[in-house]
Amino acid sequence: MKTAVSSLPMSALQALVAKAGLERFRADQIFSWIHGRGVTRWDAMTNLARPLRERLAEEWMIEDLVLDRQLDTEDGTSKLVLATGDGHRIETVLIPEERKLTQCVSTQVGCRMGCRFCATAQLGLTRNLTPGEIVAQVRHGVAWAEAHGMRLSNLVYMGMGEPFDNYDGTLDSVRILLEPLGRHFSTRKITISTVGHIDGLSRLSREDLQVNLAVSLNATTQQVRETIMPASKRWPLQALLETLRRFPLEKRRRITLEYVLIDGVNDSDEDAERLASIARSMRSKVNLIRLNPFVGCPFSPPTVKRTERFEQLVRARNVTVILRRSRGSEIAAGCGQLALQPGPDRTSH
Ligand code: SAH
């Protein structure tokens, strides 16, 4: 088995380079080819002598994803369907806004959290993505941005999968993306979104790494939350809220509380009041989004009127609240709609 060097953060690559008996600076060269310039072929690394390139090509490999399909919407959103080396397909979404371009990346093939309002959950989990596969999505995102005359500015870990169910893969991919010789993202431009995985949150709080944190709250009582988010049985609402209140946030950072509005389930006036008091109990802001339905989804979004009332009730309690427009929903690229529809061009393995 060849070593997947594209999955290694800089420190691990340096260790591998040393073990292979190469000069120290080779790690910098290789890292910047792969993660800075997006080169995935050894023979294109022209500052490595040909015999070295040949040796590396035999021992090491660079994980890549193959673009299978690209689906564009009129609002400018684009969904890329990417195939892994072992024939699985995953999805990533590019979301242009006025002054920024955000990419939504996947961390797993499928998901095992089981949220009833999310299409990805219906697939179950196949496997974790490696750090190399997560950063390969960003390589495709950067290429897409260049082709459209834009610059990729923000990353959100809100695609398929639960980032903390693939803790090491997620964190190593973040470390790679932060490297100055790689994409050199700022920690303020990367957001990890979690179902409320308390173990992952606790681990992250002990890391020397500050990224933005988003938590999918989606309900204000344990009873409702555990019916729509089974993972809440394992990580109960009250324990989650305590974890969030204790989370060591850098100054001027706030936790984003995500709330998918579902008709008749979590959109009452009482929910709005409870959501406001939860938000006020910690440094946070609220992101509301109306449910994006998908085939077989047992729920529907509330009316626009109901949505606006909910938003106003929360705002009236002095909470920062944003109603997110759904983007890309007509190509099933909206939040909670990432799931591959079986079709004739599905890659079989
Ligand atoms: N597992 C992570 C990241 C993936 S979900 C998490 O739970 O945060 C990304 C966001 O999409 C979450 O906030 C989730 O609540 C939201 N979402 C899921 N299904 C949705 C749907 N059908 N409509 C709108 N938003 C949805």
Side-chain angles (χ1 to χ4, degrees):
M1 270 275 273
K2 293 185 183 182
T3 307
V5 287
S6 48
S7 274
L8 303 178
M10 184 57 107
S11 53
L13 180 62
Q14 283 166 342
L16 181 72
V17 159
K19 206 170 129 225
L22 305 177
E23 304 99 313
R24 243 188 105 75
F25 66 90
R26 298 293 182 201
D28 285 1
Q29 289 179 323
I30 294 166
F31 195 97
S32 74
W33 277 117
I34 302 173
H35 301 296
R37 299 215 241 167
V39 166
T40 53
R41 289 177 32 233
W42 295 104
D43 59 11
M45 302 187 185
T46 48
N47 58 1
L48 310 181
R50 189 179 306 269
L52 176 58
R53 279 184 253 159
E54 281 165 7
R55 175 186 157 196
L56 296 184
E58 269 168 34
E59 297 173 8
W60 296 351
M61 61 102 136
I62 301 162
E63 297 150 294
D64 205 359
L65 297 170
V66 177
L67 182 62
D68 180 60
R69 267 197 287 173
Q70 178 174 329
L71 300 155
D72 301 326
T73 49
E74 286 185 7
D75 69 11
T77 305
S78 194
K79 175 164 94 171
L80 310 184
V81 180
L82 302 168
T84 63
D86 58 349
H88 298 297
R89 295 195 307 168
I90 53 141
E91 304 182 344
T92 183
V93 185
L94 289 140
I95 311 151
E97 285 165 278
E98 259 166 49
R99 310 181 100 113
K100 60 179 187 179
L101 172 61
T102 303
Q103 183 176 6
C104 176
V105 295
S106 295
T107 54
Q108 298 181 309
V109 181
C111 185
R112 57 172 175 172
M113 295 298 118
C115 299
R116 290 185 56 216
F117 49 84
C118 176
T120 306
Q122 317 311 312
L123 301 171
L125 177 69
T126 300
R127 69 166 173 86
N128 284 335
L129 292 175
T130 65
E133 289 170 329
I134 298 172
V135 302
Q137 294 171 62
V138 179
R139 201 153 55 233
H140 281 274
V142 168
W144 186 96
E146 279 168 7
H148 291 77
M150 294 181 224
R151 198 182 63 82
L152 182 60
S153 58
N154 295 65
L155 280 184
V156 295
Y157 282 69
M158 297 187 187
M160 304 170 97
E162 163 54 34
F164 291 148
D165 195 36
N166 177 13
Y167 187 90
D168 294 326
T170 295
L171 270 275
D172 280 351
S173 72
V174 170
R175 291 198 180 91
I176 291 170
L177 292 161
L178 295 176
E179 274 295 332
L181 287 176
R183 289 289 160 206
H184 202 182
F185 271 96
S186 145
T187 59
R188 298 189 170 269
K189 303 289 183 185
I190 298 182
T191 301
I192 296 182
S193 179
T194 175
V195 72
H197 191 301
I198 295 180
D199 308 315
L201 286 163
S202 308
R203 250 181 105 177
L204 182 66
S205 71
R206 296 190 298 268
E207 281 319 315
D208 179 24
L209 183 84
Q210 276 271 347
V211 289
N212 298 314
L213 199 58
V215 178
S216 300
L217 192 64
N218 299 338
T220 58
T221 64
Q222 175 63 18
Q223 198 213 341
V224 172
R225 197 163 190 270
E226 70 179 34
T227 52
I228 57 173
M229 302 174 77
S232 191
K233 293 192 187 116
R234 180 157 169 205
W235 298 296
L237 179 61
Q238 288 314 318
L240 170 62
L241 298 177
E242 277 158 36
T243 306
L244 297 176
R245 288 181 195 119
R246 284 197 311 261
F247 196 86
L249 286 175
E250 259 178 12
K251 59 172 192 276
R252 308 212 346 255
R253 290 219 194 196
R254 291 190 283 178
I255 293 172
T256 301
L257 299 175
E258 298 169 280
Y259 199 92
V260 180
L261 285 164
I262 308 173
D263 185 44
V265 173
N266 63 2
D267 64 342
S268 69
D269 290 359
E270 293 73 36
D271 283 310
E273 282 164 23
R274 283 189 294 260
L275 175 57
S277 63
I278 289 172
R280 289 172 60 102
S281 74
M282 64 186 80
R283 261 161 55 205
S284 68
K285 59 184 171 197
V286 171
N287 258 7
L288 294 178
I289 184 165
R290 294 173 71 228
L291 176 85
N292 277 322
F294 53 88
V295 181
C297 177
F299 306 112
S300 37
T303 60
V304 171
K305 207 171 143 216
R306 178 78 235 153
T307 304
E308 282 168 359
R309 177 173 168 81
F310 192 95
E311 181 189 7
Q312 275 154 17
L313 286 173
V314 178
R315 180 164 302 127
R317 283 161 181 75
N318 280 317
V319 171
T320 308
V321 46
I322 299 160
L323 177 62
R324 265 162 55 194
R325 271 185 312 141
S326 182
R327 305 282 307 271
S329 48
E330 77 227 50
I331 52 164
C335 303
Q337 295 183 308
L338 301 184
L340 306 162
Q341 273 107 38
D345 58 344
R346 182 167 194 154
T347 359
S348 59
H349 186 60

